[in-house]
Amino acid sequence: QSVLAQPASVSGAPGQSIPISCGGTSPDIGTYNLVSWYQQHPGKAPKLIIFEVNKRPSGVSDRFSGSKSGNTASLTISGLQAEDEAVYYCSSYAGNNLMEFGAGTKVTVL
Amino acid sequence: QVQLQESGPGLVKASETLSLTCSVSGDSVTSGRYYWSWIRQAPKKGMEWIGSIYYTGKTYANPSLQSRVTISLDTSNNQFSLKLSSVSAADTALYYCVGPTFFSFDYWGQGALVTVSS
C-alpha cells in the first residue's frame, strides 16, 4: 500500500539535526518536483510542513527543510525539539494523476 | 481561513457502500481552482490517496480503488462527497477530506473513523 520507502523510526537528542529519507521509484520523486512532507501528532490530523520539495507553508518553522537527489527526497529537522516528536509522512506525485504516500517515520526525541 | 469537516456513518456493513460528506467553510468549493481530495489512514498504517475532484467537477481516483470510488461536488451546500462501494474489512480506516491542491494538502478535516462490520 505504501509505495514510497521511509525508515520506520529515527531518533535524536535535543538540538541535533536528523534526516528522514523518502525513496521512490521512477516516475515519482525522480521525475517531479512535487514532494510534500506532513507532520502528524497522535490523535491529530496531519499538517503540511514542506511542499514542492523544499518550500515551507507560512508559519512553519525554518528548522524544517526539504531536498531531493535522484529518486530520494529528504526532510531535515534541525535543532530538534521535544515538540518535533511525531510521525512524518512523505508524498509525491507519480504521474498519471496519481498521488503516493510513504508509510511514515516515527521521530523520537531522546 | 478554510475549514473542512467530515460527516457520515461510522459503521458500515461489509459489501455495502460507504458514504462520507465534507463540509467546506471559508470559501466556495467552486472557487480558486481548488482540488478537493479524500485520503484514508488504516489503523497503525500509512496514508492512502483515494481520489480528487477539481472545482469543475472532473474527478481522479487511485487505480487500486477506481472501480469502487465516486467523488462528487454539491455546490448548493458547499460540500463534496465520497462513496466507496462493496466495502470490506480492509476499508476500515480514518477518512480525511483535504484540499486545496492536487499535489499537497494544506487543509485537513478532523477525520472520520469508518469501521466495516461483517
Side-chain angles (χ1 to χ4, degrees), chain A residues 13-38:
Chain A
Q16 281 188 328
S17 291
I18 59 169
I20 303 170
S21 62
C22 173
T25 55
S26 187
D28 43 42
I29 292 175
T31 303
Y32 305 99
N33 290 323
L34 293 168
V35 177
S36 298
W37 289 90
Y38 300 86

Side-chain angles (χ1 to χ4, degrees), chain B residues 19-101:
Chain B
S19 295
L20 291 173
T21 296
C22 182
S23 298
V24 179
S25 60
D27 207 341
S28 169
V29 291
T30 57
S31 74
R33 297 181 180 273
Y34 289 139
Y35 284 87
W36 304 105
S37 305
W38 290 94
I39 290 170
R40 69 181 182 180
Q41 191 169 28
K44 300 195 183 298
K45 295 199 174 175
M47 290 189 282
E48 181 178 32
W49 174 74
I50 299 170
S52 303
I53 186 165
Y54 195 35
Y55 79 107
T56 57
K58 183 173 175 56
T59 58
Y60 309 84
N62 192 318
S64 67
L65 300 168
Q66 190 165 24
S67 63
R68 300 193 291 129
V69 167
T70 302
I71 298 175
S72 58
L73 285 176
D74 179 355
T75 57
S76 59
N77 290 305
N78 212 40
Q79 297 173 332
F80 63 103
S81 65
L82 168 70
K83 292 188 186 299
L84 183 65
S85 63
S86 304
V87 297
S88 68
D91 295 310
T92 292
L94 188 57
Y95 286 76
Y96 290 102
C97 61
V98 301
T101 79

Side-chain angles (χ1 to χ4, degrees), chain A residues 1 3-4 28 34-36 38 90-101, chain B residues 37 39 47-52 61-63 101-105:
Chain A
Q1 181 164 321
V3 179
L4 304 178
D28 43 42
L34 293 168
V35 177
S36 298
Y38 300 86
C90 63
S91 75
S92 176
Y93 180 60
N96 294 319
N97 301 312
L98 173 64
M99 291 298 296
E100 299 172 332
F101 280 92
Chain B
S37 305
I39 290 170
M47 290 189 282
E48 181 178 32
W49 174 74
I50 299 170
S52 303
N62 192 318
T101 79
F102 191 95
F103 308 114
S104 62
F105 313 116

